[in-house]
Every structure is written in structure tokens, then in C-alpha cells.
């Protein structure tokens, strides 16, 4: 599996869009303008960096972001008004080729781009439609092949909802590996979730959750949050930890994925956990008997993406009494 699925997919998408733009704008193509729009596109399309109104549907936020970037470019380059406006229009169309609008006639969209190109350049190019369609199908196949090679039949993610909590999902890596009947199910589970295997399996889990996050993003869903496993033993193996965490070291993934740790493990490794947080990684904490239920400690829990508390904890009543302080509490 690749080191960072999200970054690789975004690179493919960037190449695809720039190739479209070079074909459409011909000798009027401006790489400087294209990259300005590209940054705006990526920021809202993959990273959801447009928090003006989270209640608006993704498509509306996207169009607003492109409009704002167009206005910003025009302020600095008023002499290129026509080209700036035409490039902005192109980024309205690109969503139809990017899985946001599934019910769309691709040939109809290519026809519109053909007419736009003819208007911009003032000349016809009979094989433009074929060229554009060939680029489109080539990248469609490349992206599908890229994602297909990352899928596995041996492992799968078990994703479950937390009762009473919207958009928070627990993630466990499961396996379809056949083993001799001589080994009991309990001993297999224990081996799978302890020691070196518990660390190594995270490479598979993090790749698979990245695929799930990418699928959400391509559908315009930025609200789902996933709580994944983490092996605290990696703290003592910084090189191995860096290699494994590199899989999800991208803000598009980090925004939606948090690493689950016990409160005891957090307290014993605070400096390392804080460093990881500063580098964009999110954590969710499971409260245990080492947590002291005082006001200041409840306040500190808000550094975590989610706080998970069992109803069997001896101080669970204190947790409920302080529930307004804890921003994202999950009761199990």
C-alpha cells in the first residue's frame, strides 16, 4: 500500500484538472491563474476550508469559494478580467467530472466546454471533444485502478455508530483470514490485538480508513468522524510510529480521524501526545479509573476530539454532572 493515499489521489486530481485547462485555454492558458484557482478548489473540495456556513450544502459552499477567489484575483489582476472570469467558469463545470454530480450527461458537459473554448479562443477545433473525453476517461481509469489496488479481501473495517452521538463512528480492523481450527477464536483475537501485531495492523487500518474518508469527501460529506485504534507501544518506537502515522498525515484525513487512547496512557505520555496534536493529529480519550473527576480535569478533556466514558465508572455521576463542560462526550 502507498504511504499516503490522500496525497497521491490529490496529485492525480491536480494533474487531471491542469490538463483540462491547458486543452481548453490553449495559448491563453496562464499557469499562475490556474494555480490560484487550483488552491481554492483543493481547499474546499478536499480540505473543507470554507467554514462560512456549515449549514449550506457542499456544492453551495464550493461555488461561493470559487466566486470569492475570482473576486480576489480580479482585484490584483483587473487587466485579465475576461480570462479570470472564464477560468472561474471552468471551475464551476469541473464538479460534474469530480463525482459530486452523479446524474450528469458527460457528453453534454463536454459540449458546453467546447462552446466555451470556441468563444474564448475565437476558433473551432473539431477534435476538441474527443481529446477532452480521452483525458477524462484516462484519469477516470487511473483513479479507479489506484483505489482498486489498495483494497484487500483479507481485512475489512467494522464501523459502528455510538448511540446518541451524531457522526461519530467507532472503527475496528477485522480479518477474513482462514486459520487452522486448532486455534481458538479467543487466542486469535488476542494475538491480533496485542504486541507487534497490534502495531503492524494499524498500517492496514489507517490505509482503509483513508479510503473511507476519501469516499466521504468525494461524495461531499465532511461531517463523519472516525475513532480508530492506536497502539500506545508505538510511543517508544518513534521511527515506526512516524512511518505508520504518515499514512494519515494529511489535514483532509486528520480532520475526520482521531486516535483512541486510554486516559492513563495519555497521562504517561503527555509530551509526545501534545507534540502529535501540534502536528495535526487528533485523539479521543477513554476515561479510566486513573482520571480524577475534578472541575479543572473536566475542562482539560476538551483538547480531545471525543471523550469516551463507560457508565460502569465509579465516578460516572460526576461525569454527568459536568457534562456541560465536556464538549463531545460519548457515553458507552
Amino acid at each position: 500500500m502507498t504511504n499516503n493515499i490522500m496525497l497521491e489521489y490529490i496529485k492525480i486530481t491536480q494533474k487531471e484538472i491542469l490538463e483540462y485547462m491547458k486543452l481548453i485555454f490553449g495559448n491563453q492558458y496562464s499557469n499562475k491563474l490556474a494555480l490560484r484557482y487550483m488552491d481554492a478548489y483543493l481547499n474546499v473540495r478536499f480540505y473543507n476550508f470554507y467554514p462560512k456556513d456549515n449549514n449550506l450544502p457542499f456544492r453551495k459552499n464550493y461555488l461561493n469559494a470559487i466566486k470569492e477567489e475570482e473576486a480576489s484575483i480580479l482585484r490584483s489582476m483587473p487587466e485579465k478580467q475576461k480570462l479570470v472570469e472564464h477560468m472561474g467558469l471552468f471551475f464551476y463545470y469541473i464538479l460534474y467530472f469530480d463525482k459530486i454530480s452523479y446524474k450528469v450527461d458527460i457528453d453534454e458537459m463536454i459540449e458546453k466546454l467546447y462552446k466555451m473554448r470556441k468563444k474564448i479562443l475565437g476558433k473551432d477545433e473539431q477534435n476538441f471533444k474527443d481529446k477532452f473525453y480521452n483525458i477524462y476517461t484516462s484519469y477516470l481509469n487511473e483513479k479507479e485502478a489506484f483505489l482498486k489496488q489498495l483494497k484487500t479481501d483479507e481485512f475489512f473495517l467494522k464501523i459502528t455508530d455510538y448511540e446518541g452521538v451524531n457522526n461519530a463512528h467507532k472503527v475496528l480492523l477485522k480479518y477474513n483470514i482462514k486459520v487452522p481450527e486448532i486455534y481458538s477464536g479467543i487466542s486469535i483475537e488476542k494475538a491480533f490485538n496485542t504486541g507487534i501485531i497490534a502495531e503492524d495492523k494499524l498500517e492496514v487500518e489507517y490505509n482503509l480508513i483513508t479510503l473511507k474518508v476519501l469516499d466521504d469527501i468525494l461524495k461531499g460529506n465532511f461531517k463523519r468522524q472516525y475513532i480508530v485504534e492506536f497502539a500506545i507501544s508505538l510511543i517508544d518506537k518513534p521511527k515506526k510510529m512516524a512511518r505508520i502515522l504518515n499514512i494519515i498525515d494529511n489535514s483532509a484525513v486528520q480532520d475526520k480521524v482521531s486516535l483512541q487512547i486510554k486516559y492513563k496512557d495519555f497521562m504517561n505520555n503527555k509530551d509526545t501526545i501534545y507534540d502529535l496534536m501540534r502536528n495535526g493529529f487528533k485523539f479521543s480519550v477513554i476515561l479510566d479509573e486513573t482520571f480524577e473527576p475534578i472541575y479543572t480535569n473536566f475542562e482539560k478533556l476538551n483538547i480531545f476530539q471525543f471523550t469516551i466514558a463507560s457508565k460502569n465508572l465509579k465516578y460516572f455521576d460526576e461525569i454527568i454532572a459536568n457534562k456541560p463542560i465536556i464538549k463531545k462526550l460519548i457515553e458507552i
Side-chain angles (χ1 to χ4, degrees):
M1 287 191 174
T2 187
N3 286 332
N4 196 301
I5 295 168
M6 187 64 71
L7 286 178
E8 290 300 317
Y9 189 91
I10 289 173
K11 286 178 184 177
I12 295 171
T13 303
Q14 284 179 294
K15 285 170 54 183
E16 178 185 11
I17 292 174
L18 291 176
E19 199 164 337
Y20 289 149
M21 296 184 80
K22 289 172 183 176
L23 176 63
I24 291 169
F25 293 97
N27 59 11
Q28 290 192 28
Y29 173 80
S30 165
N31 197 55
K32 183 178 180 180
L33 284 180
L35 292 178
R36 283 282 299 270
Y37 275 116
M38 180 68 76
D39 284 345
Y41 165 82
L42 294 177
N43 282 341
V44 68
R45 183 67 184 90
F46 288 94
Y47 300 108
N48 197 31
F49 290 165
Y50 192 79
K52 297 295 176 67
D53 188 346
N54 290 326
N55 293 319
L56 287 177
F58 165 79
R59 182 180 173 82
K60 185 66 176 176
N61 274 336
Y62 170 80
L63 294 176
N64 286 341
I66 295 301
K67 286 177 185 177
E68 287 190 7
E69 186 60 28
E70 181 179 308
S72 175
I73 296 172
L74 282 172
R75 284 193 294 271
S76 59
M77 302 180 190
E79 73 283 359
K80 295 184 178 291
Q81 180 177 350
K82 286 294 182 184
L83 182 58
V84 171
E85 290 174 351
H86 286 143
M87 281 194 167
L89 182 59
F90 164 80
F91 275 92
Y92 294 164
Y93 283 120
I94 199 61
L95 282 186
Y96 293 105
F97 302 93
D98 197 21
K99 290 195 174 184
I100 280 295
S101 300
Y102 286 89
K103 296 178 180 178
V104 63
D105 187 324
I106 295 299
D107 291 331
E108 181 182 335
M109 289 301 108
I110 294 176
E111 178 68 26
K112 289 182 178 181
L113 289 172
Y114 163 73
K115 290 177 179 178
M116 185 178 86
R117 183 185 190 277
K118 187 176 178 181
K119 181 179 179 181
I120 294 167
L121 301 181
K123 60 180 180 180
D124 198 358
E125 185 178 343
Q126 291 301 320
N127 61 349
F128 166 81
K129 297 176 191 176
D130 290 336
K131 285 182 179 179
F132 192 99
Y133 187 77
N134 288 338
I135 294 171
Y136 168 70
T137 54
S138 173
Y139 277 101
L140 184 65
N141 292 334
E142 181 180 351
K143 287 187 282 191
E144 287 180 352
F146 172 71
L147 296 177
K148 186 177 180 180
Q149 69 166 328
L150 300 168
K151 294 177 181 177
T152 170
D153 293 329
E154 286 78 23
F155 299 94
F156 65 95
L157 296 180
K158 181 182 179 183
I159 300 176
T160 54
D161 298 340
Y162 285 100
E163 186 177 347
V165 181
N166 292 330
N167 295 312
H169 308 277
K170 180 180 180 180
V171 178
L172 294 174
L173 183 69
K174 296 294 183 178
Y175 51 86
N176 282 321
I177 303 170
K178 291 184 178 180
V179 294
E181 293 183 5
I182 189 173
Y183 300 106
S184 70
I186 294 176
S187 62
I188 297 167
E189 274 301 314
K190 184 177 180 181
F192 191 61
N193 291 295
T194 56
I196 298 297
I197 296 177
E199 297 172 358
D200 293 343
K201 75 172 186 176
L202 295 180
E203 294 195 48
V204 179
E205 182 169 340
Y206 292 177
N207 273 300
L208 292 180
I209 197 59
T210 300
L211 287 174
K212 184 70 180 75
V213 169
L214 177 57
D215 184 61
D216 289 345
I217 288 173
L218 293 178
K219 293 174 180 175
N221 187 331
F222 293 90
K223 294 183 178 180
R224 288 184 180 177
Q225 295 286 320
Y226 299 100
I227 302 174
V228 300
E229 298 169 277
F230 180 70
I232 199 66
S233 56
L234 286 173
I235 298 287
D236 297 323
K237 304 172 185 177
K239 289 185 178 179
K240 184 175 184 179
M241 181 172 69
R243 188 186 77 244
I244 291 175
L245 289 182
N246 180 62
I247 299 167
I248 56 173
D249 191 4
N250 175 277
S251 58
V253 181
Q254 290 172 330
D255 185 52
K256 299 158 193 66
V257 171
S258 60
L259 310 174
Q260 179 177 284
I261 57 170
K262 295 177 181 177
Y263 186 78
K264 175 183 67 175
D265 292 330
F266 163 69
M267 293 298 292
N268 290 336
N269 301 276
K270 279 196 292 187
D271 290 343
T272 302
I273 301 299
Y274 283 141
D275 283 341
L276 291 171
M277 287 180 174
R278 281 189 284 270
N279 286 315
F281 295 100
K282 294 183 178 180
F283 286 82
S284 289
V285 66
I286 300 177
L287 296 185
D288 53 34
E289 299 301 338
T290 66
F291 177 77
E292 188 178 355
I294 60 176
Y295 181 83
T296 53
N297 284 346
F298 282 117
E299 279 190 319
K300 292 175 184 176
L301 292 176
N302 288 320
I303 64 170
F304 299 104
Q305 183 67 6
F306 293 98
T307 297
I308 304 168
S310 168
K311 295 174 183 177
N312 295 323
L313 287 168
K314 63 182 180 182
Y315 53 81
F316 188 73
D317 289 343
E318 286 97 322
I319 293 174
I320 297 303
N322 287 275
K323 194 172 181 178
I325 303 172
I326 310 171
K327 292 178 182 177
K328 295 182 179 179
L329 176 66
I330 296 176
E331 302 169 30
I332 58 173

